């Protein structure tokens, strides 16, 4: 039976966000709703169908399914649906069907869009997309290309130091880049001229090539400003050339960073780079919770905050490697230390253990292993001292299994790909997130490309990896709720790591394998998958928005714990969230589940 005008108005006043509207506006809006009666089994709309408007359940139940027919929600009274399609292309991204006798209220799409445009609180509730970038400009969020000086002054390596000094004087600069064409060969600074020429008593006619720093540290234009500051602090340099595709495109100096000072992270990196032992570094890393709190409080996005926090772990690792070599002497053969897990993906938060490994040169001789065993133990113990606790699964370089010559690593990956048993799937999931931290980076380049090619070309392996990734499911209850942990210490909470961000991390890894993409960071993988065609633009947009909301909620939860004096963890009680926040978080989980379903059915796209 249709509702009377009075009954309809009373109902709307009990539903958010309509309860926030002015009475006169709400009364006018109520008359614009159409009432639709549906019997059990009646379709409401089908996937990709042009939506008539926004639906609101008054009585009854509606089942929402994804593109593969998998139920994602059963909606009861006061639940809206269809908004995601309306705020995108106007077409349905799910299917909906009444499961019982149901009365639906339909707000026509023109009225819906007008309401969204006129009422910010309504737009905030229904538009679940990632908010635009902040207008604030700071070192953590500014790309190097926006900071660098373009067209840096250059010279050839054959001119004299006097001529180079005259160039610096005439251009009021403190360095010149030494190039061969547009290829960077080195950099000459005023400090080089002072220390290597004047103080050493060498003639000013000395060629630049005898005074410059060859093959200097560089960054790409896509790096962020804090990368520059951290590199300067860690290595004691004041100039960083910017190189893209092998070509010199700019330079960043300390002067360029004057108005972009990330004091907290810069000071932490500098202190770690000068520390004489792990205990001194631990005093610095003990401030990471405070840093996380500051980063979240100042409005930084999750990917910026986790990147800055991971930079600190990277610096600790490199400093420990240097101290290990000081203690043990130079390594007998080249090696490469790599991080995996959240450090490998540059996604560390306030809760991190260590996951790492060592690749050794195939020139390893009998007896050399003793050196690397000691080095690995030194670094892993030091990381534990600094708060990066030992990996519960012993996936660390201190375990001989993860400290092997290149030929053994090749055999590892070949074996995992050829025979994807459960252990192989688990190990591959971790090891596909490897990122070089210290040592000879060239040891990894060929291995990475070979492995991506082999994995991406093996459909059986990829299918097993997809199946393995689907073991981590979003915490969804069918009855429009969130499925919390049922027992134990964390009862009635959501695991925002294993059931929150990990499902998206797993999807990103799958897209990288399928597309043979070398990105390791989850957001970078999703963006690269869209560029490569492995994800449709709308699918990528939805998944990125969902990931951002889940990851940001996790980070804000940890910041709130730190603020209240607790140790941060990944267990969030839904009761700590507002109705608005719970609704949006659940919608994000629905997107992830839908994308998991698509991957499980051999589809990587969402139209």
């Amino acid at each position: 039976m249709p509702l009377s005008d009075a009954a309809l108005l009373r109902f709307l006043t009990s539903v958010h966000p309509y309860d926030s509207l002015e009475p006169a506006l709400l009364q006018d809006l109520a008359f614009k709703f159409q009432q639709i009666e549906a019997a059990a089994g009646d379709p409401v709309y089908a996937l990709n169908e042009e939506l008539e408007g926004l639906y609101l359940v008054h009585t009854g139940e509606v089942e929402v399914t994804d593109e593969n027919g998998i139920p994602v929600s059963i909606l009861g009274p006061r639940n809206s649906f269809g908004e995601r399609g309306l705020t995108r292309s106007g077409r349905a991204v799910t299917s909906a069907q009444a499961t019982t006798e149901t009365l639906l209220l339909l707000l026509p799409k023109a009225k819906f869009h007008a309401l969204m445009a006129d009422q910010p609180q309504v737009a905030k509730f229904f538009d679940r997309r990632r908010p635009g970038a902040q207008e604030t400009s700071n070192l953590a969020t500014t790309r190097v290309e926006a900071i660098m000086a373009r067209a840096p002054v250059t010279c050839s390596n054959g001119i004299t130091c006097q001529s180079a000094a005259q160039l610096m004087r005439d251009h009021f600069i403190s360095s010149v880049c030494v190039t061969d064409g547009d290829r960077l060969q080195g950099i000459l600074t005023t400090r080089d001229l002072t220390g290597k020429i004047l103080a050493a008593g060498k003639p000013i006619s000395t060629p630049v090539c005898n005074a410059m720093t060859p093959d200097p540290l560089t960054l790409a234009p896509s790096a962020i400003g804090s990368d520059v500051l951290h590199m300067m602090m860690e290595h004691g340099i004041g100039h960083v050339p910017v190189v893209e595709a092998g070509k010199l495109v700019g330079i960043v100096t300390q002067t360029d960073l004057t108005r972009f000072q990330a004091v907290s992270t810069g000071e932490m990196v500098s202190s770690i780079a000068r520390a004489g032992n792990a205990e001194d570094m631990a005093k610095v890393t003990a401030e990471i919770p405070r840093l996380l709190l500051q980063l979240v409080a100042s409005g930084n996005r999750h990917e910026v905050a986790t990147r800055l926090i991971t930079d600190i772990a990277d610096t600790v690792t490199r400093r420990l490697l240097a101290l290990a070599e000081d203690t043990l002497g130079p390594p007998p053969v080249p090696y490469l230390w790599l991080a995996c897990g959240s450090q490998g993906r540059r996604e560390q938060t306030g809760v991190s253990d260590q996951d790492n490994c060592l690749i050794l040169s195939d020139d390893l001789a009998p007896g050399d292993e003793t050196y690397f065993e000691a080095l690995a133990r030194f670094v892993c113990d030091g990381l534990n001292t600094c708060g990066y606790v030992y990996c519960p699964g012993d996936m660390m370089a201190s375990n001989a299994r993860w400290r092997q010559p290149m030929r053994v690593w090749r055999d590892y990956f070949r074996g995992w790909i050829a025979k994807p048993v459960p252990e192989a799937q688990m190990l591959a999931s971790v090891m596909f997130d490897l990122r070089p931290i210290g040592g000879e980076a060239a040891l990894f380049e060929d291995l990475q490309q070979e492995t991506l090619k082999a994995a991406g070309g093996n459909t059986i392996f990829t299918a097993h990896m997809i199946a393995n990734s689907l073991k981590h499911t979003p915490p969804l209850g069918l009855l429009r709720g969130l499925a919390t942990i049922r027992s134990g210490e964390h009862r009635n909470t959501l695991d925002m790591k294993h059931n929150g961000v990990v499902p998206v991390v797993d999807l990103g890894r799958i897209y990288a394998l399928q597309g043979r993409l070398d990105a390791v960071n989850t957001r970078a993988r999703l963006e690269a998958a869209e560029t490569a065609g492995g994800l449709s633009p709308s699918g990528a947009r939805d998944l990125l928005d969902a990931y951002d909301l889940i990851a940001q909620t996790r980070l804000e939860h940890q910041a709130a714990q730190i603020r209240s004096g607790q140790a941060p963890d990944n267990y969030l009680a839904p009761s700590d969230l507002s109705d608005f926040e719970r609704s949006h978080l659940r919608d994000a989980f629905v997107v992830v589940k839908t994308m998991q379903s698509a991957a499980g059915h051999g589809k990587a796209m969402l139209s």
Side-chain angles (χ1 to χ4, degrees), residues 112-372:
F112 170 74
H113 287 302
L115 187 65
M116 291 274 285
D118 295 340
Q119 300 296 320
Q121 71 273 35
V122 175
K124 183 179 179 182
F125 183 81
F126 285 118
D127 192 345
R128 314 295 167 92
R129 292 172 291 185
R130 187 177 193 233
Q134 294 177 326
E135 295 299 323
T136 57
S137 179
N138 58 63
L139 198 63
T141 57
T142 303
R143 289 166 65 102
V144 164
E145 62 187 0
I147 302 174
M148 70 184 188
R150 299 178 184 273
V153 177
T154 64
C155 69
S156 67
N157 63 15
I159 72 169
T160 65
C161 286
Q162 181 181 26
S163 297
Q166 290 169 343
L167 276 175
M168 294 185 206
R169 179 199 62 194
D170 294 342
H171 289 86
F172 303 98
I173 54 178
S174 56
S175 68
V176 290
C177 292
V178 183
T179 58
D180 180 9
D182 54 13
R183 301 282 169 172
L184 180 68
Q185 291 185 315
I187 187 169
L188 182 74
T189 67
T190 53
R191 187 166 66 179
D192 292 327
L193 292 174
T194 301
K196 298 177 183 179
I197 301 300
L198 295 179
K202 292 183 179 180
I204 57 176
S205 59
T206 299
V208 162
C209 61
N210 292 337
M212 70 179 187
T213 299
D215 300 319
L217 294 169
T218 64
L219 286 171
S222 59
I224 55 177
S226 58
D227 291 339
V228 182
L229 180 61
H230 292 174
M231 183 176 284
M232 289 180 174
M233 292 290 190
E234 182 176 356
H235 298 283
I237 57 178
H239 307 77
V240 177
V242 182
V243 174
E244 185 174 45
K247 298 180 180 180
L248 177 70
V249 295
I251 190 169
V252 181
T253 69
Q254 288 179 330
T255 301
D256 298 320
L257 297 182
T258 299
R259 61 192 176 92
F260 292 110
Q261 289 300 311
V263 176
S264 57
T265 54
E267 288 180 348
M268 291 173 78
V269 166
S270 179
S271 297
I272 291 166
R274 297 194 309 268
N277 53 56
E279 288 71 22
D280 288 343
M281 284 183 263
K283 296 175 184 176
V284 181
T285 56
E287 296 298 314
I288 288 177
R290 181 179 61 84
L291 171 65
L292 185 150
L293 179 59
Q294 291 177 347
L295 291 171
V296 173
S298 60
N300 288 287
R301 296 194 185 280
H302 70 93
E303 69 268 27
V304 173
T306 55
R307 173 69 173 270
L308 295 176
I309 290 171
T310 305
D311 280 351
I312 295 170
D314 290 355
T315 306
V316 169
T317 305
R318 284 191 289 267
R319 183 57 182 157
L320 287 169
L321 287 169
L323 292 174
E325 290 190 20
D326 288 345
T327 301
L328 302 172
V333 296
Y335 72 87
L336 177 62
W337 186 281
L338 303 100
C340 45
S342 60
Q343 185 184 0
R345 297 189 305 273
R346 285 179 163 160
E347 294 167 3
Q348 287 189 313
T349 65
V351 185
S352 296
D353 58 5
Q354 57 175 290
D355 297 283
N356 46 62
C357 65
L358 264 176
I359 296 179
L360 309 176
S361 167
D362 282 337
D363 295 331
L364 191 74
D368 290 347
E369 162 62 17
T370 302
Y371 175 93
F372 291 107

Side-chain angles (χ1 to χ4, degrees), residues 87 218 284 309 312 345 388 400 464 516 575 582:
T87 56
T218 64
V284 181
I309 290 171
I312 295 170
R345 297 189 305 273
Y388 305 100
H464 278 280
R516 304 179 189 181
S575 58
R582 282 196 299 273

Side-chain angles (χ1 to χ4, degrees), residues 18 36 43-45 51 53-58 61-64 73-76 78-86 92 94-98 102-107 112 125-126 128 480 587:
Y18 309 107
I36 302 173
V44 180
Y45 58 71
L51 288 166
L54 178 73
Y55 293 89
L56 174 61
V57 181
H58 179 267
E61 282 186 352
V62 173
E63 180 183 66
V64 178
S73 293
I74 294 178
L75 307 179
R78 294 182 173 80
N79 283 305
S80 298
F81 59 101
E83 68 272 16
R84 191 152 60 93
L86 287 172
T94 56
S95 297
Q97 173 181 283
T102 301
L103 176 62
L104 296 172
L105 304 179
L106 173 68
L107 182 63
F112 170 74
F125 183 81
F126 285 118
R128 314 295 167 92
R480 194 63 185 179
D587 285 347

